[in-house]
Amino acid sequence: MMLVNSPEPVIDANLAIALDALLAEHSVTRAAARLHTSPAAMSRTLARLRRILQDPLLVRAGQTMVPTPRAQSLRDEAAAVVRSLGALLSPGTAVDPAGLRSTFTLQAADLVGAALAPGLLRLAQQEAPGVSFRLRAEELEAGTALRDGRIDLEIGSIDHVDPETQIEELVSLRMMAAVRPGHPLTEGPLTPARLAAAQHVVVSRRGRFTGPLDTALAEQNLRRRVSFVLPSHLAAMTLATRSDIVCLVPAAPPGAAPSPLTDDATVLGLRLLDIPLALPPLTIGMAWHPRHTADGAHHWLRNAIRRTLRTPGSPTT
């Protein structure tokens, strides 16, 4: 009796990549954008995956799509397979930026994102026209999001310490008081008592009313009046242009080139005043998962961030 071996199954790596995108985005449209394909093509791929896996994977719930239990169990494995494929086929850091076809997902506060966007757009147009960027607000737990690939890079004040996360400090800034032209604080010397007596807006995505300025004022037996807490730096600066409220804005140290993080305050016409108190510096850095350290595309991204946020003369390697 002759035994006939059954043919080996055909392995389609593109299906694994599409599955990873679908399970990460929970949306056919966003998964298509992530992989630079059309929603119709991604919809056909989802139908094929459903037939192969014999599971609907994503089902509609109102205006969104939610994963099935099988899809949830496959998510980490699919992401790991895609990472392995990337490591297997990656050429390392020797990559031609002009040939990149990538979408990078960054997480940053609105002020950092506003400072980054013009510089990143300019560098991409000049060096990597196939690159696009997706900016997310500080809405995800960064360590976990970096680990599972939901974000490629976190930029800002890095306040989490994960042993596996790579962190690089980019620039150290000082905080200044920003007020509208003609504000009473612009007349005469700014003292701690005058600063404390003014109305203030605090920027906090967690809704906190206090920060380092309050600690410094307390050492002078002073307490400021916080009239507003807002989650957005840009909203706080806009409020300061339309009222006598004071907001804090990061700026370069004395004698250094201007920081792009101060550009929006300048555009709004705000006056920046030196704070007559010793405040801790604000350190802006970037964090990424070590699996991206040797990746050529990610290497270009990190260097682009350095060139955008660091002042002239800072190292870019």
Side-chain angles (χ1 to χ4, degrees), residues 16 23 34 50 57 62 86 91 140 155 157 177 204 227 279 282 310:
L23 298 186
R34 178 171 174 167
R50 284 168 168 167
L57 298 175
L140 301 175
I155 308 102
S157 180
S204 172
S227 301
L279 298 181
L282 173 66
R310 283 179 173 166

Side-chain angles (χ1 to χ4, degrees), residues 207-225:
R208 295 173 178 168
F209 273 76
T210 59
L213 178 57
D214 299 279
T215 302
L217 287 170
E219 293 175 355
Q220 304 284 326
N221 295 317
L222 296 170
R223 182 177 179 180
R224 65 173 171 164
R225 178 187 173 191

Side-chain angles (χ1 to χ4, degrees), residues 236-303:
M237 290 192 295
T238 301
L239 180 61
T241 66
R242 301 175 179 177
S243 67
D244 280 345
I245 211 157
V246 179
C247 70
L248 299 185
V249 171
S259 167
L261 271 76
T262 316
D263 287 351
D264 288 290
T266 303
V267 170
L268 289 170
L270 290 171
R271 292 280 305 276
L272 300 184
L273 308 177
D274 289 320
I275 296 175
L277 295 162
L279 298 181
L282 173 66
T283 300
I284 301 296
M286 59 180 171
W288 68 93
H289 194 273
R291 70 174 177 274
H292 292 307
T293 297
D295 176 70
H298 204 276
H299 184 269
W300 178 88
L301 171 65
R302 298 194 303 272
N303 199 35

Side-chain angles (χ1 to χ4, degrees), residues 42-63:
M42 184 57 67
S43 182
R44 291 192 295 271
T45 301
L46 175 59
R48 184 180 174 193
L49 285 166
R50 284 168 168 167
R51 290 194 300 272
I52 293 172
L53 297 174
Q54 298 182 14
D55 187 273
L57 298 175
L58 295 174
V59 296
R60 187 160 296 283
Q63 299 298 314

Side-chain angles (χ1 to χ4, degrees), residues 5 23 30 70 84 109 126 181 207 220 230 317:
N5 294 329
L23 298 186
R30 290 197 298 271
R70 177 78 190 284
S84 297
Q126 293 172 351
Q220 304 284 326
L230 294 172
T317 57

Side-chain angles (χ1 to χ4, degrees), residues 161-198:
V161 181
D162 303 302
E164 65 191 64
T165 302
Q166 300 289 311
I167 299 175
E168 178 183 329
E169 293 185 0
L170 295 170
V171 65
S172 182
L173 305 171
R174 60 171 173 156
M175 301 306 294
M176 300 186 73
V179 297
R180 65 169 180 81
H183 190 285
L185 290 183
T186 63
E187 301 173 1
L190 179 59
T191 64
R194 294 186 68 206
L195 181 62

Side-chain angles (χ1 to χ4, degrees), residues 22-36:
L22 287 163
L23 298 186
E25 298 291 348
H26 295 178
S27 163
V28 169
T29 301
R30 290 197 298 271
R34 178 171 174 167
L35 299 184
H36 299 284

